[in-house]
Amino acid sequence: MTDRSTDPTTDLGTDLAAVAAGLDAEDPLAGYRDRFLPADGVVAYLDGNSLGRPLQATAERMERFVRADWGTRLIRGWDEGWVDRPRSLGDRIGAAALGAAPGQVVVADSTTVLLYKLARAAVDHQAAAGRREIVVDTDNFPTDRYVLEGIAAERGAVLRWITSDPASGVTPEQVAAAVGPDTALVLLSHVAYRSGFLADAPAITRTAHDAGALVLWDLSHSVGSVPVRLDAWGADLAVGCGYKYLNGGPGAPAFGYLAARHTTTLRQPITGWFGHRAPFAMGPGHEPAPDVRALLSGTPPVLASVPLECGVELLEQAGIDAVRAKSVRLTGFALDLADTLLAPHGVTVASPRDPDRRGGHVTLRREDLAQVNARLWERGVIPDFRAPDGIRIGLAPLSTSFAEVLAGMTAFAEEVAR
Ligand SMILES: *Cc1c(COP(=O)(O)O)cnc(C)c1O
């Protein structure tokens, strides 16, 4: 792209358009993009890591669910599948995205509430063995930190902070230095929400287990984008978000994973009737279900799980390994464009360049990017801004084309060149 004697911007633009077109032509998942509802006025949607786009099938299935399932089956729907939905949909997420055998995943609550339930269960269980420290990193997602601070205050536990570099993430060495005979729980994000750093989950899980700690993985930014192998890692607990790469819609229910070996020993604190051994016996006293249903508390969000089911179905068809392969190409292309178009204007990359350590988004920094982000939104180019100075380019593989990435990054370049 150097040594241009004619108008450099025009040639560069033509070259890049050809590159993007070539990548789209070779993309085996390109056809999936047409399954999403059109978004009028949107030039480039670069925030699929925060809120996935709706599918055409979602609009249809919601309508059908309201008219037929809810409308005509009425209360009978509970016996005809709704009661089992937290587990049946959980098993499908487990198989399609989590590397989890059946019977270990439920769909319920929000990520925050499931985090609380699972972390409290782990902390209470470990307190019996005299372990009272919770290891977490300073750059973890706010809700994760706040929930743990609340649990620590409630249960007399102590937080042990790993100071993580916001441009990278938590390493196995840092975890090894933080855990010990007092550690009850290690709670980390698989993909860091800010930088997109992909943690070495198998190594970190091993390190924590060697110290006798339990591990809770927050998969919010990896599920549906990066393959997860909870059973193979030996993970104890996990949670994740339904509305990001799983396209479940704003406020979609989350999912929780409890390894089968823990289902009768770890006890979550919100002991409602849906986690009871026999909810409809309505007897005295809470007796927890002898399976993963014990993670449930109240009536499950069946209606809100309909869009999530559509998103999971799409992932089942596309396959997580193909999704990851495209994700690596999309983030690699975005980084190339950042180097070519944005670096000359002082924008720096705050995400790992090693694809093995990179999740599904890339973060770019310059001190005035809050204003740049606002101007991009006015142009129909929609990434997101994260304080203090980062724009995240979130690239949902099933709904994003390479041409769209180019359109968005070109607009970004125009705005930082102003
Ligand atoms: C998005 C996200 C959440 C979201 O929690 P909610 O309860 O849905 O608000 C939690 N943790 C991480 C790491 C996230 O990225």
Side-chain angles (χ1 to χ4, degrees):
M1 313 269 165
T2 49
D3 289 323
R4 294 286 179 191
S5 49
T6 52
D7 179 351
T9 34
T10 311
D11 279 2
L12 184 58
T14 314
D15 288 353
L16 292 175
V19 171
L23 288 164
D24 278 322
E26 287 164 15
D27 171 17
L29 300 181
Y32 283 93
R33 202 159 170 265
D34 298 335
R35 310 254 196 120
F36 291 85
L37 285 170
D40 287 346
V42 173
V43 174
Y45 189 59
L46 306 176
D47 209 10
N49 60 322
S50 255
L51 179 66
R53 289 177 55 180
L55 289 155
Q56 182 73 42
T58 301
E60 289 157 13
R61 194 151 332 154
M62 277 302 262
E63 162 110 21
R64 196 166 74 225
F65 186 88
V66 172
R67 290 187 187 282
D69 297 46
W70 177 15
T72 72
R73 299 316 297 158
L74 296 165
I75 195 77
R76 294 171 290 185
W78 286 110
D79 295 334
E80 295 167 359
W82 298 347
V83 164
D84 290 326
R85 210 172 158 83
R87 274 185 302 177
S88 58
L89 188 51
D91 281 348
R92 287 174 69 182
I93 295 174
L98 306 180
Q104 304 179 98
V105 180
V106 290
V107 168
D109 305 318
S110 62
T111 306
T112 301
V113 171
L114 276 175
L115 262 171
Y116 172 74
K117 287 158 73 168
L118 288 174
R120 254 281 310 254
V123 166
D124 290 354
H125 178 75
Q126 295 277 62
R131 291 174 175 264
R132 46 194 292 277
E133 279 188 8
I134 307 171
V135 172
V136 61
D137 74 293
T138 50
D139 204 46
N140 207 336
F141 191 81
T143 217
D144 300 56
R145 292 182 276 114
Y146 303 158
V147 162
L148 291 183
E149 285 167 348
I151 290 174
E154 191 180 36
R155 308 306 281 175
V158 177
L159 297 188
R160 190 175 177 107
W161 295 96
I162 292 176
T163 305
S164 49
D165 179 348
S168 59
V170 179
T171 63
E173 294 71 30
Q174 286 176 304
V175 174
V179 295
D182 292 333
T183 314
L185 176 68
V186 175
L187 189 160
L188 297 170
S189 287
H190 185 211
V191 170
Y193 82 103
R194 211 195 287 272
S195 66
F197 179 86
L198 174 60
D200 186 345
I204 288 174
T205 302
R206 250 188 332 267
T207 301
H209 284 172
D210 288 347
L214 295 169
V215 183
L216 197 173
W217 285 105
D218 188 330
L219 306 172
S220 292
H221 270 95
S222 43
V223 63
S225 160
V226 176
V228 171
R229 307 266 178 257
L230 289 173
D231 289 349
W233 300 344
D236 302 289
L237 310 148
V239 294
C241 193
Y243 52 79
K244 290 172 178 161
Y245 295 104
L246 293 182
N247 304 97
F255 64 84
Y257 164 92
L258 177 61
R261 64 185 177 280
H262 296 310
T263 34
T264 56
T265 46
L266 265 62
R267 291 281 163 240
Q268 63 90 1
I270 307 180
T271 50
W273 72 309
F274 256 80
H276 192 281
R277 176 184 297 277
F280 296 98
M282 307 203 165
H286 187 268
E287 282 177 57
D291 52 45
V292 73
R293 215 160 42 77
L295 288 187
L296 302 179
S297 295
T299 305
V302 176
L303 184 65
S305 71
V306 173
L308 179 59
E309 179 183 48
C310 296
V312 172
E313 225 163 80
L314 190 76
L315 184 63
E316 288 168 343
Q317 290 166 21
I320 187 65
D321 292 329
V323 166
R324 171 64 175 164
K326 180 170 177 184
S327 171
V328 168
R329 285 196 296 275
L330 283 166
T331 51
F333 186 51
L335 287 173
D336 288 347
L337 293 175
D339 291 341
T340 310
L341 302 175
L342 303 180
H345 302 290
V347 176
T348 58
V349 170
S351 293
R353 293 199 175 257
D354 175 2
D356 292 338
R357 291 274 68 87
R358 190 168 75 229
H361 66 274
V362 299
T363 302
L364 303 166
R365 299 176 65 190
R366 200 176 81 169
E367 67 186 10
D368 63 342
L369 290 190
Q371 295 89 303
V372 169
N373 192 62
R375 295 202 299 272
L376 287 171
W377 279 37
E378 283 170 21
R379 298 177 59 159
V381 172
I382 312 184
D384 69 18
F385 175 75
R386 284 293 175 269
D389 58 2
I391 278 184
R392 293 189 309 180
I393 306 293
L395 301 166
L398 294 173
S399 58
T400 309
S401 69
F402 292 89
E404 188 178 6
V405 177
L406 176 58
M409 295 294 279
T410 303
F412 194 163
E414 286 165 9
E415 291 301 333
V416 290
R418 281 184 11 158

